[in-house]
Structures are given as structure tokens and as C-alpha cells.
Amino acid sequence: PSSSTDLPYLYRFEESPAAEEVLGLMVELREAGFGYQRIATELNERGIPSAHGAAWWPLTVSRILRRHRPDLCPPRRDLDVPQ
């Protein structure tokens, strides 16, 4: 993606090749063992803007991956219920 105007909200990635490309990169990095912080840092270092044209945050990366690729995300600790 070349500018924030090319990148719609990632929750609608199926409607945008640019957003699909960013999601694909997130998946590739996650599969390579990157954590959410490292993925956010990589996106920022590459100059890829978030949907709002701002910097990426780990929480944003985790929410996008949980929504679109939950198989790549560990269970949330705050949702674990003791047995």
C-alpha cells in the first residue's frame, strides 16, 4: 500500500487488495514466529499505514489476526476459566 487512502479498514479486507496484502504479511510474519509487537514494528518500519493512517499497535494486530486467522492466535488469558 502506498498511502492511507489506499487502505480501508482491515475488518473489510475482503473488499480490498491492499488490505488483503497487509493481512497476508501479518499472517506470514506470525507463521514465522513473530509476536504481535514485532509484527506491528515491522509494519511501521516498512511504512505501511494502519487503516487510520497512523502507526500500528500490537493490540490492533492481534485483533485483526484473531478476527481473520484465529488459528494463529493463542487463547486469551483473560478469558480462561479455572477448572
Side-chain angles (χ1 to χ4, degrees):
S2 58
S3 75
S4 61
T5 58
D6 297 332
L7 188 64
Y9 293 104
L10 280 171
Y11 64 81
R12 297 176 50 163
F13 76 95
E14 63 276 358
E15 298 175 18
S16 166
E20 282 185 26
E21 186 178 325
V22 174
L23 178 62
L25 178 57
M26 286 182 182
V27 169
E28 179 183 319
L29 294 172
R30 187 72 176 155
E31 288 176 337
F34 281 48
Y36 304 128
Q37 177 65 56
R38 283 186 64 198
I39 294 171
T41 299
E42 185 69 24
L43 293 170
N44 290 328
E45 287 178 356
R46 291 185 186 202
I48 299 170
S50 70
H52 300 284
W56 287 95
W57 292 91
L59 182 60
T60 306
V61 172
S62 72
R63 286 179 175 167
I64 290 167
L65 285 172
R66 283 185 194 286
R67 184 176 298 121
H68 299 291
R69 287 297 305 272
D71 57 305
L72 296 176
C73 304
R76 290 179 50 182
R77 284 176 284 199
D78 61 326
L79 298 179
D80 289 346
V81 178
Q83 298 295 323

